[in-house]
Amino acid sequence: MSDVHRRLIEWFAAGLMIIGVLIAVIVPSAVISYIIMLLFGIFTGRIMVKIHHKEHMPYILMLGGFVIGYLLGVYYGSRLIVLVSFIVGVYIGHYLYKKGILKDSSF
């Protein structure tokens, strides 16, 4: 991976961290925060299935940037419950896509 790609990934992760903070600040309730992170976890689980044989680090860095930003910006609710809902979502998403219950459509 070239130096340009590494820098681009770092900038993209920082941008997602800022977006995560902004979304967390805007969300008006703890329950909605938990649901957002559960859905993002399911999305992340899908990505982990898709990149099974590829390099994981760029994806983990970018998705981790959003999660860290969201955890920093959570005002309502527990950060621990937000993190647990994300992890549960990753496992749910990974399981559903791996078993073929949810399917991805390629355009």
Side-chain angles (χ1 to χ4, degrees), residues 81-93:
I81 295 174
V82 170
L83 184 62
V84 168
S85 66
F86 171 73
I87 293 169
V88 167
V90 169
Y91 283 117
I92 290 171

Side-chain angles (χ1 to χ4, degrees), residues 33-80:
S33 290
Y34 305 150
I35 291 171
I36 287 173
M37 284 310 284
L38 182 70
L39 293 175
F40 188 72
I42 292 171
F43 171 74
T44 303
R46 174 196 170 272
I47 289 176
M48 290 299 146
V49 169
K50 292 298 244 182
I51 63 166
H52 180 68
H53 296 292
K54 297 180 183 176
E55 187 178 353
H56 289 87
M57 197 56 179
Y59 296 99
I60 291 172
L61 183 64
M62 290 185 286
L63 297 172
F66 179 82
V67 172
I68 291 170
Y70 197 88
L71 288 173
L72 289 174
V74 168
Y75 183 72
Y76 298 105
S78 167
R79 288 185 173 97
L80 180 63

Side-chain angles (χ1 to χ4, degrees), residues 15-35:
L16 285 175
M17 186 181 295
I18 293 169
I19 291 171
V21 169
L22 292 175
I23 290 174
V25 168
I26 292 171
V27 172
S29 106
V31 175
I32 296 174
S33 290
Y34 305 150
I35 291 171

